[in-house]
Amino acid sequence: MRLTLALLLIALNWIHDVAAEDPQGPKESKTIGELIQRIRPSVVTIRVNGRDGDELAMGTGFVIDADGLIATNLHVISEGRPFSVELPDGRKLPVVSIDSTDRAGDLAIIRVDVESKPLPPLTVLEDVIAQGTEILAFGNPLGLRDSVVSGIVSAVRDIDGREMIQLAMPVQPGNSGGPLVDMKGNVRGIINMKSAIDDNLGFAIPINQLSPVRERTNPVAYDRWVTLGTIDQESWTPLFGATWQQRGGIISARGVGSGFGGRSLCLAKSAEPSLPIEVAVDVRFDDDSGAAGLAFHSDGQDRHYGFYPSNGRM
């Protein structure tokens, strides 16, 4: 009887030891802190610069392949803007190309040079995420680097003809392009936009929408990407920073200039037309804080003449 009991105890201890040593133990048992430490090395900061080198915006991306593929939103890198990719430890990864993009889906995949140091890719789970699932969002909200916020999935719904994950959590500029991760460490979505209705409401793109983009590669070299839509320097002279672009006969500016009040100019080099002439400008603001218009003369510095409709007034 004693021998049988001893053998039983030995057997129970052996089972306990095997379970404790199992490296595939249930991931749900990990603390949130441990999960964050496991995900963070795969999340990158994307800094977008103007042509004068000043930083215009900050976004997020995450590693999907050890050889240097980074997923993000297309609007984070935009077109014609120089940008950089930086790991949490400060290491900057040279951008080789933009491997593929989906304009309608607001998705982009960047290829970086890992310099013989493979990156830790995140695990992607393409199953439909359930309402009420606990999730974490990684990113750089309002420029606050390496931030994490927790929340739940409010719903999966159709937004403008595309399936989106509705989130009950604060999402801010800078979170865009970051991974939406479940409590097992699987990427379930890509943070996409902040709600204009409530600060505690945001949306993410389901991760299964990234697969077709990854399969449909059409690489554009980085050097070519940053020149897409650039101003014809023989016809125009941009002044005071900002990012000026020219496409389909339309000239547009992004970002804040270094001139008075954040002003930036783009002056024509063509010969002065004979008088009288008619000119017109269409102005569209993201908010009421800006101004735009036509300049008729400039000394190339802070003195210029024209008109600037601002907030419905001249």
Side-chain angles (χ1 to χ4, degrees), residues 269-292:
K269 294 183 178 179
S270 57
E272 295 181 7
S274 57
L275 300 176
I277 59 172
E278 291 185 5
V279 293
V281 61
D282 291 323
V283 179
R284 183 178 65 185
F285 298 120
D286 292 331
D287 54 48
D288 292 333
S289 64

Side-chain angles (χ1 to χ4, degrees), residues 65 67-70 94-99 109-113 217:
D65 186 276
D67 291 332
L69 290 183
I70 308 291
V95 181
V96 177
S97 64
I98 291 74
D99 259 28
I109 296 178
I110 305 164
R111 182 174 294 279
V112 297
D113 185 355
T217 58

Side-chain angles (χ1 to χ4, degrees), residues 150-195:
S150 63
I152 65 170
V153 173
S154 296
V156 178
R157 63 177 73 253
D158 183 277
I159 304 291
D160 295 332
R162 297 185 71 92
E163 187 178 83
M164 299 289 286
I165 302 171
Q166 181 182 326
L167 308 172
M169 60 165 45
V171 175
Q172 299 290 344
N175 278 123
S176 291
L180 184 74
V181 178
D182 64 22
M183 293 304 161
K184 292 184 179 180
N186 299 309
V187 179
R188 308 302 296 274
I190 302 175
I191 306 299
N192 183 241
M193 60 184 180
K194 176 185 181 231
S195 169

